[in-house]
Amino acid sequence: MGIQERKDREKLQRRNDIIDSAEQLFFKHGLGNVSMDHIAQEAELSKGTLYLYFKGREDLHYAVVNRGLDLLNEIIQRNHVREASGADNLLQLGRSYIDFSREHPGHFQSMMLFDASSFEKVDKEQSLKILEPGSPLMFLIEIVKTGQEDGSVRNDISPEKLAMILWSHLSSILELITLRGPLLNYLEVDKGSIIDAQFEISLNGVLSK
Amino acid sequence: MGIQERKDREKLQRRNDIIDSAEQLFFKHGLGNVSMDHIAQEAELSKGTLYLYFKGREDLHYAVVNRGLDLLNEIIQRNHVREASGADNLLQLGRSYIDFSREHPGHFQSMMLFDASSFEKVDKEQSLKILEPGSPLMFLIEIVKTGQEDGSVRNDISPEKLAMILWSHLSSILELITLRGPLLNYLEVDKGSIIDAQFEISLNGVLSK
Amino acid sequence: MGIQERKDREKLQRRNDIIDSAEQLFFKHGLGNVSMDHIAQEAELSKGTLYLYFKGREDLHYAVVNRGLDLLNEIIQRNHVREASGADNLLQLGRSYIDFSREHPGHFQSMMLFDASSFEKVDKEQSLKILEPGSPLMFLIEIVKTGQEDGSVRNDISPEKLAMILWSHLSSILELITLRGPLLNYLEVDKGSIIDAQFEISLNGVLSK
Amino acid sequence: MGIQERKDREKLQRRNDIIDSAEQLFFKHGLGNVSMDHIAQEAELSKGTLYLYFKGREDLHYAVVNRGLDLLNEIIQRNHVREASGADNLLQLGRSYIDFSREHPGHFQSMMLFDASSFEKVDKEQSLKILEPGSPLMFLIEIVKTGQEDGSVRNDISPEKLAMILWSHLSSILELITLRGPLLNYLEVDKGSIIDAQFEISLNGVLSK
DNA sequence: AATGAATGAGCGTTCATTCAT
DNA sequence: AATGAATGAACGCTCATTCAT
């Protein structure tokens, strides 16, 4: 029994080591420029071993994204105030997302690019993981609901719809900042202030008047 | 004289035929899953011929995106009303963009994915083509400016910043609808109404009170 | 332990098999007319496997030349008589080189052509391998030095200079015989006797009077 | 009639223009790194036109080599002294060859490399052009004969054999200097003095005692 | 569980040559 | 005579994946 446990623990550890290596390389060289050879070398494992822990390259990529989601979730939960109003928690969640994009730009980019490309081969199983109960998106929906219940959020639009809009809006601005820096520089748009402006616009349209 | 003209016309035609073929395949199989062999076969030309008309795969890809931009521009210009207020033209431009995403979903996706991936290898020349005077984005900035001048758009935020926010917001929702249909279905969010809602929220936050 | 050894042996064997195949094709069709596909087919391996054993075409080519150098070296060492005078050993080395060109005409040609073409892209590392201590050229220099010391070789010219002249002279005649047979036939020059004549001329000019 | 002449002249001129362009590019970029496109562009002609004047790439290359041979011949003839002894004219011819390799290193290299590779596809027609009456080699044979007749050159070896040896010897040293500069530098062998030494050795072995 | 040799289809690109005009 | 569009085979090389050990 104890033996089995140790083996399981070791297996999980090894899996995490591989993700560590992949992550590092993905962030450093870009998703498209990292081969399985590359990862195997970094992880100091044989290429074949990678396939014992992951179905394939895609799966490995997905594991990295998942880890990003966990990180994001952690930040969100940490900043969440159970007693606060829905509106206040919306604000908090937004700030958490922004913090995440700043502190983990690699993960943020990874998530953005994964989303974009993952739908070339629509894989329902994967794309719906963000629908799991604890996911940021589902948590956002809950907060919107709470806000609608406590009257701090408009209730003429379904919580799912509002949540999707808020999420998309903020994501798009963060993507702009993270991936399109040069464009903003060229237009002389300040990165900090565009977040503030977008925040005001999006939230204002969602909170109760 | 006429001969030269005919040849030029034919050459242009051939070029367009190739883009047609590439487009079709890109839309059908996804950007990353189309090879030069594939395109050559579809266009019923030898692979070498492709390289007479395009410098390489990237160039061909870019030509498809450019065509999408032209299409979008056309729709925008068609719906633009010179005499209308900035606010009204903002609304029109939004509707044009929506129409484009509906009528040319392949091009819309292509543009979204191109944008996303093109920044792995930041290529200023290409990424800045959207900054050319006639581009949708620049046109949007002009409209915002007009709106600020005629008082229909808030003027406490720079036109570039407002334009980027509006563009990002709408793009993100259209991307949601075009690429994440299953997600919306699962959440029982209606595609038409989410556009309306986002439109109201975004524009409300931008127009003068 | 024994397992590792066997694997190493097999790996070396496989590497040698590939060189065998490449050699055969290079000699048969000429250096420039052999593709990696070609070699893979001959070796009954996939093209990818070739790249497990060699960095690229150049590397494979180089391996063939290297094998030639080893063969030549072997012959030279076999015929070398430690106790003999420098002059005698010069004669022996010349004969060894001649033997090599006769017994391994493919390798001889390969070396000549490799030298010639390798200098289009001057690659110091490779071109200087012939300068390694055990190489035929360096050994020749040593023999000349010995000859100068024992008085059998003229010492008014540096050993390096003499060695280069001897080597070039003999190489050029062997190249003539190996690659320009038809020319000699046309001029009714006997291959055996031109070697003798060149030998006499070259050596006479180098030995002490 | 005059028209035909003019046309012939123009045709020849155009042919020479093409060789000019090819020459320039061959010398600048190396034989293997010049494409027909490249040459056509340099000559400001269409690629098709090249094939009106030359059977193919090889033929064009050969034309460049031929031009080199003409240049060499010119130098040889200029320095030839009809009244001098065979021995003196041998010396002169050698000096002419050396001058050629110095003043036209591009052509010299071109000739060396052409020779080397041309025998991969043995083409008798081409390889035997150097046997034409006026060619340097044939002229050398004549001089050797003269020397044997006037007693200044040893006559126990056939003139063809002696000529081939002299030619090969000098060529090999010039090739060494022109293509293997780094090797000589490494061995600290002076380029000027190795020519003198080789000259002394080769000629001494060939002249009458 | 771990290995790593082997695969083989695939890639983007080049280029000498042909041929209809 | 001159064009230049078209060809298509060839090239060196990559890489996710498999599988016998």
Side-chain angles (χ1 to χ4, degrees):
Chain A
M1 211 187 298
I3 290 176
Q4 189 55 39
E5 274 173 29
R6 199 204 65 226
K7 288 211 171 177
D8 284 355
R9 216 169 42 239
E10 282 175 356
K11 197 166 173 177
L12 204 62
Q13 182 55 43
R14 167 120 332 164
R15 198 184 136 91
N16 272 318
D17 290 346
I18 295 174
I19 302 179
D20 284 343
S21 300
E23 209 172 82
Q24 207 173 319
L25 295 172
F26 283 155
F27 296 168
K28 190 170 174 187
H29 302 107
L31 287 172
N33 307 313
V34 177
S35 67
M36 292 302 267
D37 282 275
H38 211 148
I39 296 166
Q41 204 173 5
E42 180 75 25
E44 295 180 330
L45 286 170
S46 80
K47 226 182 337 180
T49 305
L50 262 45
Y51 284 85
L52 287 177
Y53 292 88
F54 300 91
K55 271 196 309 193
R57 198 191 132 79
E58 286 268 293
D59 195 25
L60 191 39
H61 183 182
Y62 184 59
V64 171
V65 174
N66 250 353
R67 198 186 260 187
L69 280 173
D70 288 344
L71 272 169
L72 173 54
N73 229 335
E74 209 176 280
I75 297 177
I76 288 173
Q77 298 302 335
R78 186 165 60 232
N79 293 338
H80 181 66
V81 181
R82 195 184 302 269
E83 305 79 19
S85 70
D88 285 345
N89 271 325
L90 273 189
L91 196 74
Q92 270 314 329
L93 191 148
R95 298 223 175 283
S96 298
Y97 197 8
I98 294 166
D99 287 349
F100 170 74
S101 78
R102 281 199 186 119
E103 288 162 28
H104 305 281
H107 270 122
F108 179 76
Q109 285 185 45
S110 216
M111 281 168 56
M112 291 294 113
L113 294 177
F114 181 71
D115 271 350
S117 62
S118 74
F119 279 84
E120 295 201 352
K121 291 182 182 177
V122 180
D123 182 332
K124 282 172 191 184
E125 237 189 306
Q126 289 187 353
S127 68
L128 295 185
K129 290 247 168 139
I130 54 171
L131 297 177
E132 282 175 358
S135 78
L137 184 57
M138 296 316 271
F139 192 62
L140 172 57
I141 293 175
E142 287 312 308
I143 292 176
V144 172
K145 274 184 190 156
T146 311
Q148 288 182 330
E149 280 158 14
D150 68 22
S152 60
V153 172
R154 66 192 280 182
N155 61 8
D156 59 336
I157 296 179
S158 81
E160 288 81 9
K161 204 180 293 177
L162 278 181
M164 286 310 304
I165 290 172
L166 282 168
W167 188 259
S168 297
H169 278 183
L170 185 47
S171 294
S172 71
I173 299 298
L174 292 178
E175 191 178 336
L176 193 61
I177 288 170
T178 312
L179 298 175
R180 310 273 199 280
L183 176 53
L184 293 181
N185 289 339
Y186 177 85
L187 292 174
E188 298 181 356
V189 170
D190 174 64
K191 291 177 187 175
S193 69
I194 198 175
I195 288 187
D196 293 339
Q198 114 77 23
F199 227 68
E200 184 224 309
I201 292 169
S202 253
L203 275 185
N204 254 345
V206 162
L207 304 186
S208 297
K209 305 287 158 105
Chain B
M1 211 185 299
I3 290 177
Q4 189 53 40
E5 275 172 27
R6 201 204 63 224
K7 290 214 169 175
D8 284 356
R9 218 170 39 240
E10 281 176 359
K11 197 164 176 180
L12 204 62
Q13 182 55 45
R14 168 75 38 118
R15 197 186 136 92
N16 274 318
D17 290 347
I18 295 174
I19 301 180
D20 285 344
S21 299
E23 211 173 80
Q24 209 173 316
L25 294 172
F26 282 153
F27 297 168
K28 192 170 172 186
H29 301 108
L31 289 171
N33 307 312
V34 177
S35 68
M36 292 302 267
D37 280 279
H38 212 145
I39 296 166
Q41 205 173 359
E42 178 75 23
E44 294 180 330
L45 287 170
S46 78
K47 213 171 9 165
T49 305
L50 261 45
Y51 286 86
L52 282 178
Y53 291 89
F54 300 92
K55 271 196 307 191
R57 196 191 133 79
E58 286 268 293
D59 195 26
L60 190 39
H61 185 180
Y62 187 58
V64 171
V65 175
N66 249 353
R67 198 189 257 186
L69 277 173
D70 288 344
L71 275 168
L72 171 54
N73 229 333
E74 210 177 281
I75 297 177
I76 288 173
Q77 297 302 334
R78 187 164 61 233
N79 292 338
H80 182 65
V81 180
R82 196 184 302 266
E83 304 79 18
S85 71
D88 286 345
N89 269 325
L90 271 189
L91 196 72
Q92 271 312 331
L93 192 147
R95 299 226 173 281
S96 299
Y97 197 9
I98 295 167
D99 288 350
F100 170 75
S101 79
R102 280 198 187 118
E103 288 161 29
H104 305 282
H107 271 122
F108 179 77
Q109 285 185 44
S110 210
M111 280 169 54
M112 291 294 112
L113 294 177
F114 182 71
D115 272 21
S117 63
S118 74
F119 277 83
E120 294 205 351
K121 291 182 183 178
V122 180
D123 182 334
K124 282 172 192 184
E125 239 188 304
Q126 288 189 354
S127 67
L128 295 185
K129 289 251 166 135
I130 55 170
L131 296 177
E132 282 175 0
S135 76
L137 184 57
M138 296 316 270
F139 192 62
L140 171 58
I141 293 175
E142 287 311 307
I143 291 176
V144 171
K145 274 184 191 157
T146 311
Q148 289 183 327
E149 281 157 16
D150 69 23
S152 60
V153 171
R154 67 192 279 183
N155 59 11
D156 59 334
I157 297 180
S158 81
E160 288 82 10
K161 203 180 294 177
L162 280 181
M164 285 310 304
I165 291 172
L166 282 168
W167 187 260
S168 296
H169 279 183
L170 185 47
S171 294
S172 71
I173 300 299
L174 293 178
E175 193 178 333
L176 193 62
I177 288 169
T178 312
L179 298 176
R180 311 274 198 279
L183 175 55
L184 294 181
N185 289 338
Y186 177 85
L187 293 174
E188 297 180 359
V189 170
D190 176 61
K191 292 177 188 174
S193 69
I194 198 175
I195 288 186
D196 292 339
Q198 114 77 22
F199 226 69
E200 184 223 308
I201 292 170
S202 254
L203 276 184
N204 253 346
V206 162
L207 302 187
S208 299
K209 303 291 159 100
Chain C
M1 210 185 299
I3 290 177
Q4 189 54 38
E5 274 172 29
R6 200 203 65 225
K7 288 215 169 177
D8 285 355
R9 216 169 42 238
E10 281 176 359
K11 198 165 176 179
L12 204 62
Q13 181 57 44
R14 169 74 37 118
R15 197 186 137 92
N16 274 319
D17 290 347
I18 295 173
I19 302 180
D20 285 344
S21 300
E23 211 172 80
Q24 209 173 317
L25 293 172
F26 282 153
F27 297 168
K28 192 170 173 186
H29 301 107
L31 289 172
N33 307 313
V34 177
S35 68
M36 292 302 267
D37 280 278
H38 212 145
I39 296 166
Q41 206 173 358
E42 178 75 24
E44 295 180 330
L45 287 169
S46 79
K47 214 177 359 173
T49 305
L50 261 46
Y51 286 86
L52 282 178
Y53 291 88
F54 299 92
K55 271 197 309 193
R57 195 191 133 79
E58 287 266 295
D59 195 27
L60 190 39
H61 185 178
Y62 188 58
V64 171
V65 175
N66 249 354
R67 198 189 259 186
L69 277 173
D70 288 345
L71 275 168
L72 172 54
N73 229 334
E74 209 177 281
I75 297 176
I76 288 173
Q77 298 303 334
R78 186 165 61 234
N79 293 337
H80 182 66
V81 180
R82 195 183 301 266
E83 304 79 18
S85 71
D88 285 344
N89 270 325
L90 272 189
L91 196 74
Q92 271 312 333
L93 191 148
R95 297 224 174 285
S96 298
Y97 197 9
I98 294 166
D99 288 350
F100 170 74
S101 79
R102 281 199 186 117
E103 287 162 29
H104 305 283
H107 271 122
F108 179 76
Q109 285 184 45
S110 210
M111 280 170 55
M112 292 292 112
L113 295 178
F114 181 70
D115 271 22
S117 63
S118 74
F119 277 84
E120 294 204 351
K121 291 182 184 178
V122 180
D123 182 332
K124 282 170 191 187
E125 240 188 303
Q126 288 189 354
S127 67
L128 295 185
K129 289 253 166 133
I130 54 170
L131 297 177
E132 283 174 359
S135 76
L137 184 57
M138 297 316 270
F139 193 62
L140 172 57
I141 293 175
E142 288 311 306
I143 291 176
V144 171
K145 274 183 190 158
T146 312
Q148 289 184 328
E149 282 156 15
D150 68 23
S152 61
V153 171
R154 66 191 279 183
N155 60 11
D156 59 335
I157 297 179
S158 81
E160 289 81 9
K161 204 180 292 177
L162 280 182
M164 286 309 305
I165 290 171
L166 283 168
W167 188 260
S168 296
H169 278 182
L170 185 47
S171 293
S172 71
I173 298 299
L174 293 178
E175 192 178 335
L176 192 62
I177 289 169
T178 312
L179 298 175
R180 311 276 198 279
L183 175 55
L184 293 181
N185 289 339
Y186 177 86
L187 292 175
E188 297 180 358
V189 170
D190 175 62
K191 292 179 188 175
S193 68
I194 197 175
I195 287 186
D196 292 338
Q198 114 76 22
F199 227 69
E200 184 224 309
I201 292 170
S202 255
L203 276 184
N204 253 346
V206 162
L207 303 186
S208 298
K209 304 290 159 99
Chain D
M1 211 185 297
I3 290 175
Q4 188 55 40
E5 275 172 26
R6 200 204 65 227
K7 289 212 171 175
D8 284 357
R9 217 170 41 239
E10 282 176 357
K11 197 166 173 177
L12 203 62
Q13 181 56 44
R14 169 126 325 170
R15 196 184 138 91
N16 272 318
D17 290 346
I18 295 173
I19 302 178
D20 283 344
S21 300
E23 208 172 84
Q24 207 174 320
L25 295 172
F26 283 155
F27 296 169
K28 191 169 173 186
H29 302 108
L31 287 172
N33 307 314
V34 177
S35 67
M36 292 300 268
D37 282 274
H38 210 149
I39 296 167
Q41 203 174 4
E42 180 76 24
E44 294 179 331
L45 286 170
S46 79
K47 226 182 338 179
T49 305
L50 260 46
Y51 284 86
L52 287 176
Y53 291 89
F54 300 91
K55 273 197 305 191
R57 198 191 132 80
E58 286 268 293
D59 195 25
L60 191 40
H61 183 183
Y62 185 58
V64 171
V65 174
N66 251 351
R67 199 186 258 187
L69 279 173
D70 289 345
L71 272 170
L72 172 54
N73 229 334
E74 208 177 280
I75 297 177
I76 288 173
Q77 297 303 335
R78 186 164 61 233
N79 292 338
H80 182 66
V81 180
R82 195 184 303 267
E83 304 79 20
S85 70
D88 286 345
N89 271 324
L90 273 189
L91 196 73
Q92 271 313 329
L93 192 146
R95 299 225 173 282
S96 298
Y97 196 9
I98 294 166
D99 288 349
F100 170 75
S101 78
R102 279 198 188 121
E103 287 162 28
H104 305 281
H107 269 122
F108 180 76
Q109 285 185 43
S110 215
M111 281 169 55
M112 292 294 113
L113 294 177
F114 182 72
D115 271 350
S117 62
S118 75
F119 279 83
E120 295 201 354
K121 293 181 182 176
V122 180
D123 182 333
K124 283 173 189 182
E125 236 189 307
Q126 290 187 353
S127 68
L128 295 184
K129 289 249 168 137
I130 54 169
L131 297 177
E132 282 175 359
S135 77
L137 184 57
M138 296 317 272
F139 191 63
L140 171 58
I141 294 175
E142 288 311 307
I143 291 175
V144 171
K145 273 183 191 157
T146 311
Q148 290 182 329
E149 281 158 16
D150 68 23
S152 60
V153 172
R154 68 193 279 182
N155 59 10
D156 59 335
I157 297 180
S158 81
E160 288 81 9
K161 204 179 292 176
L162 278 182
M164 286 309 305
I165 290 172
L166 282 168
W167 188 259
S168 297
H169 279 183
L170 185 47
S171 294
S172 71
I173 299 297
L174 292 178
E175 192 178 334
L176 192 62
I177 288 170
T178 313
L179 298 175
R180 310 273 199 278
L183 175 54
L184 293 181
N185 289 337
Y186 178 86
L187 293 175
E188 298 180 358
V189 170
D190 175 63
K191 291 178 188 176
S193 68
I194 197 175
I195 288 187
D196 293 338
Q198 114 76 22
F199 227 69
E200 184 223 308
I201 293 170
S202 253
L203 275 183
N204 254 346
V206 161
L207 303 187
S208 298
K209 305 289 158 98

